[in-house]
Structure formats: C-alpha cells, structure tokens
Amino acid sequence: MALDQPTQIAPYDAPEKDLYEIGEMPPLGYVPKQMYAWAIRRERHGEPDKAMQVEVVETPSIDSNEVLVLVMAAGVNYNGIWAGLGVPISPFDGHGAPYHIAGSDASGIVWAVGDKVRRWKVGDQVVIHCNQDDGDDEHCNGGDPMFSPSQRIWGYETPDGSFAQFTRVQAQQLMPRPRHLTWEESACYTLTLATAYRMLFGHEPHELKPGMNVLVWGASGGLGSFAIQLINAAGANAVGVISDEDKREFVMSLGAKGVLNRKDFKCWGQLPTVNTPEYKEWFNEVRKFGKAIWDVTGKGNNVDIVFEHPGEATFPVSTFVCKKGGMVVICAGTSGFNCTFDVRYMWMHQKRLQGSHFAHLKQASAANQLMLERRIDPCMSEVFPWAEIPQAHLKMLRNQHKPGNMAVLVQAPTTGLRTFEDALEAGVR
C-alpha cells in the first residue's frame, strides 16, 4: 500500500488585504492583520448558540517556536461545549484573555513559522494535536509531557483554538495530514483518536494486548468508534455499549465482538448506599449486565479494561465488571463528575483506577500513523458549514448528533476537497 506523498502548493494570484472573507485565500504566507473567529466571552457563558459569536479579531502573532496555520476545517469536541458553558471551569480563569476561541482539532496549511522552527515550512499540509507544554522540565525531557506542570490543551486552556481563519500552535503540535482524506475528514479525528490511543496503550503494564476483552462505553461516539477500531486492530475483543438500538449495526461494523444496549438495564447513576435494599436491587441489575458481557466474552471472563468517559452514570458499574487486576481508565465525565463506587471490589480485587488525559506527541503520532496507513477510518458523521459551528455543538450537547465524529468547514469552501488547489478553485472569488 503506497503511503501519502507530500506535494507542493502551485503558485496562485491573490490580493493582499487586512481581512479576508471566510473561504477567501490570501497569498501563500501572507498574514492579514485581522481574521474572523467564533469568539466566546465571559459575559456570554451559556449554551453554544449564545456563547459563540462571530467577531473580527487580531490575527495572532507567533513566537520563535510557534507556527501560524490557515485552518481549512476543524473538529467538534465536548470541550467546546464546556468552554461555552464555563463548566466545569471557565477558560478565562486559566488563560485570562479577553475572548476565547474554542476548537481543539484542525486540518490546514502552515502559513508562517517562527525563526527556530525547522521541521515545518510554509505550505505544508498538517493536522494538529492539542497538547501544549513549555518543554523545559524533566517531564518534557525524558519523562511524560502530559505530567508537566505546563501541560495545557490548545483551544480549551489556551485562547486561540481552531474556530477561526488562523490559529497559533506550537511547532511540536503539527503532524502530516493524510492526503487520502478530505479536509473535513482529516480535521475531525486527532483529539478523540489520540485520547483513545493513550487510554489503551499508554498505561503500563495495562497496555492493550491481543486476546484482551475491553468494555467500551459510548461505542458509537467519537472516542468509542476509535476505541473499537484500535482494539480490533490489536487483535483484542471490544464489547461496545450503546444507548440507541439503531447504533448497533454501526458499532458492529467497526469490529466489535458484541454490543450491549444500556437501556436494557437499570443500574445507572450514583451508587446506592451499601447494604440497603436499593443497593441489593442495583447489585442484581449489575450482575445481569455482567452476565450480558459474559455472553460475548465467555462465562467468567470479565473485561481486562473498561474504557470510561461518561463518569457519574456508569462508573459504579465499570468498577464492578472489570476483572481482578484489571483497569478502569477514564478520560472524561460527560454524564457528571461525582463518581461513586464500592471500594471493597477495588481493593480486594486489586483493580486499577487510571485517569488519562489526551496524549503526548509520540502517542499522537503513532495514532496518526495508523490513519496515514489507512488502518483506521475517521468515522466522520456530519459536516457543518462555518455559519453553523454553534449548532453543531448544540447537537452534541443535546446528544442529537450522529455516530462518529463531527467536522466543520472553516476556509475550505465546500466538502469533498482534498487539495489546496481544489479549495482555491471552489473558493470565494
């Protein structure tokens, strides 16, 4: 299988202006003074259609190790909702900027580079991973950069994300864009894929291995769809959990060995008080859920890893169905943050509870290589135009989005384009 080969951008004519309309391309490498962005301000905190408003803002300037990227398309993730709501924290409490541009996934063109950047040049086509750090402590030099005190998520803990014509990133955030994908397909996957990769392969000695059994919550969503594919690619067995029966076929098509519908069980939410009648009722329902897992994995075979992200609604069950010596790995709390569990089953069965947060460059690059080699599908579900970026987040907030990963167009004028020349031809004239 031939891998993607880099190509140069052909010369083209364009005027130099201070501001360009969405979809209108400046001359290659020319940085206008201003840009359009979907901005959040503290006084507008609320649901996405209230919090996000189009503004004309200054185009970011870059430091010596930074890169300015022309954003062709971007991905939709739950942290954009959190940024708009100001929950669990307001992004302004972290970076202190007057406005916040959300968006932690993007595909685009390198438009300007700092004077110390060597690996990338103007015109390179890239995807962006969302981890930033200062690079000057022991964790960033021989350790795990995700443990660095300076670690932060671009587009959530920084003010300059991807829902704008240009975005400022650290050079180490860039990775090659898969040329077989469209701009929107290549924009939708990096955050969820790299997060899933670290969850499954980043926590020794509980790395995913052939033959393991893994329970995947939200199996039809962005994280879940990549978890299923990674588990399948590693020769392990994924048991997916869905909330709507019409998602079963999609999850099975990704390679799951079995699918459970959580609506068939009544054991969700915070743990009832231990040794009460309510606890006994909950416990019986959890055993029923565990039996359904055995119907896939074989009698007595509890899962080696639980791939967690809903949090409050599912966590008590996750800690029970995980096998002795297994791991519950969690990266979010989309159903709530007050997680409860019966600690007796944690300590006596010596289970591991592991938090996991995005991924460092080596992990993100390994995950991206799978996409470059076409071993993983981006599972793009819906694409929204620039004008509907808040509506895309509103659908996600209300759990009305389709299975897979959502993308939005920024400078790419329409869907289905794979080259910059395609975008020029189809763009604003």
Side-chain angles (χ1 to χ4, degrees):
M1 181 186 301
L3 303 183
D4 295 319
Q5 297 297 320
T7 58
Q8 299 297 318
I9 291 176
Y12 63 96
D13 293 323
E16 293 186 356
K17 299 163 57 174
D18 289 342
L19 177 67
Y20 294 82
E21 296 304 308
I22 295 296
E24 184 182 11
M25 303 298 181
L28 182 63
Y30 174 77
V31 179
K33 293 180 180 179
Q34 296 178 308
M35 66 179 186
Y36 288 103
W38 282 97
I40 297 168
R41 293 186 182 266
R42 187 186 288 272
E43 61 270 21
R44 290 202 297 261
H45 272 323
E47 293 195 347
D49 56 340
K50 171 191 173 185
M52 296 178 176
Q53 300 290 331
V54 173
E55 297 186 22
V56 175
V57 299
E58 297 298 309
T59 304
S61 58
I62 58 173
D63 206 343
S64 59
N65 287 304
E66 293 179 332
V67 172
L68 189 70
V69 175
L70 179 81
V71 180
M72 297 297 287
V76 179
N77 296 291
Y78 214 89
N79 66 10
I81 296 169
W82 286 335
L85 293 172
V87 173
I89 61 170
S90 170
F92 299 102
D93 293 337
H95 58 63
Y99 59 85
H100 178 81
I101 302 169
S104 298
D105 262 327
S107 63
I109 309 288
V110 173
W111 215 250
V113 297
D115 57 17
K116 292 184 180 178
V117 175
R118 298 291 180 266
R119 293 182 62 212
W120 304 97
K121 64 182 183 305
V122 171
D124 284 343
Q125 300 188 24
V126 295
V127 293
I128 304 171
H129 80 74
C130 64
N131 182 59
Q132 289 191 357
D133 56 65
D134 291 346
D136 59 357
D137 58 44
E138 63 273 21
H139 297 292
C140 298
N141 294 275
D144 188 333
M146 297 306 297
F147 298 157
S148 170
S150 67
Q151 186 276 324
R152 55 196 177 270
I153 296 297
W154 160 74
Y156 183 58
E157 294 169 296
T158 74
D160 40 12
S162 59
F163 300 144
Q165 289 173 297
F166 294 93
T167 189
R168 173 179 54 198
V169 298
Q170 295 179 336
Q172 60 86 14
Q173 290 179 251
L174 302 183
M175 301 184 297
R177 183 178 82 88
R179 301 301 182 88
H180 65 283
L181 300 179
T182 64
W183 289 108
E184 58 273 16
E185 287 172 331
S186 55
C188 77
Y189 69 82
T190 301
L191 186 148
T192 46
L193 175 57
T195 298
Y197 187 94
R198 180 179 174 92
M199 290 174 74
L200 294 170
F201 296 102
H203 303 291
E204 297 179 348
H206 289 83
E207 309 103 316
L208 181 65
K209 300 177 182 67
M212 280 187 169
N213 297 308
V214 184
L215 184 70
V216 179
W217 293 105
S220 67
L223 279 169
S225 61
F226 285 134
I228 298 289
Q229 292 186 80
L230 289 169
I231 293 163
N232 190 48
N237 306 306
V239 182
V241 185
I242 57 174
S243 57
D244 294 304
E245 195 59 34
D246 60 3
K247 297 175 181 177
R248 181 180 295 272
E249 183 178 348
F250 171 75
V251 175
M252 290 298 292
S253 73
L254 296 175
K257 299 301 182 183
V259 176
L260 309 182
N261 189 333
R262 64 178 176 85
K263 290 183 177 177
D264 294 336
F265 309 91
K266 299 176 181 178
C267 46
W268 315 123
Q270 292 190 343
L271 182 76
T273 301
V274 174
N275 295 332
T276 62
E278 292 78 14
Y279 178 87
K280 181 179 180 181
E281 182 180 352
W282 173 85
F283 189 81
N284 287 337
E285 198 68 15
V286 174
R287 288 173 67 95
K288 178 182 170 184
F289 183 74
K291 169 63 166 56
I293 294 174
W294 287 1
D295 289 342
V296 180
T297 62
K299 186 176 181 179
N301 291 324
N302 291 332
V303 293
D304 299 88
I305 298 173
V306 180
F307 186 93
E308 251 282 1
H309 50 94
E312 187 173 312
T314 57
F315 198 76
V317 177
S318 294
T319 57
F320 182 81
V321 300
C322 182
K323 79 174 210 179
K324 286 186 176 182
M327 176 177 70
V328 178
V329 57
I330 185 167
C331 70
T334 54
S335 68
F337 311 115
N338 294 316
C339 292
T340 52
F341 62 97
D342 188 338
V343 73
R344 295 173 298 180
Y345 292 94
M346 182 65 68
W347 96 64
M348 294 186 70
H349 291 178
Q350 301 175 76
K351 301 178 183 181
R352 176 180 182 178
L353 170 57
Q354 175 67 52
S356 193
H357 186 49
F358 190 59
H360 53 62
L361 173 58
K362 187 173 179 62
Q363 292 164 339
S365 293
N368 193 56
Q369 188 63 32
L370 295 173
M371 193 68 72
L372 289 168
E373 295 177 2
R374 311 185 190 200
R375 299 176 187 271
I376 298 287
D377 186 273
C379 292
M380 189 182 69
S381 57
E382 298 177 85
V383 186
F384 296 81
W386 164 262
E388 295 180 15
I389 286 179
Q391 284 67 40
H393 287 80
L394 203 58
K395 288 191 75 171
M396 180 175 279
L397 174 63
R398 295 175 179 171
N399 200 28
Q400 297 171 342
H401 54 301
K402 296 178 181 179
N405 296 280
M406 292 192 290
V408 295
L409 300 180
V410 183
Q411 283 296 96
T414 187
T415 59
L417 308 177
R418 286 181 168 79
T419 69
F420 187 67
E421 288 77 13
D422 289 342
L424 283 172
E425 186 175 347
V428 176
R429 299 183 184 282

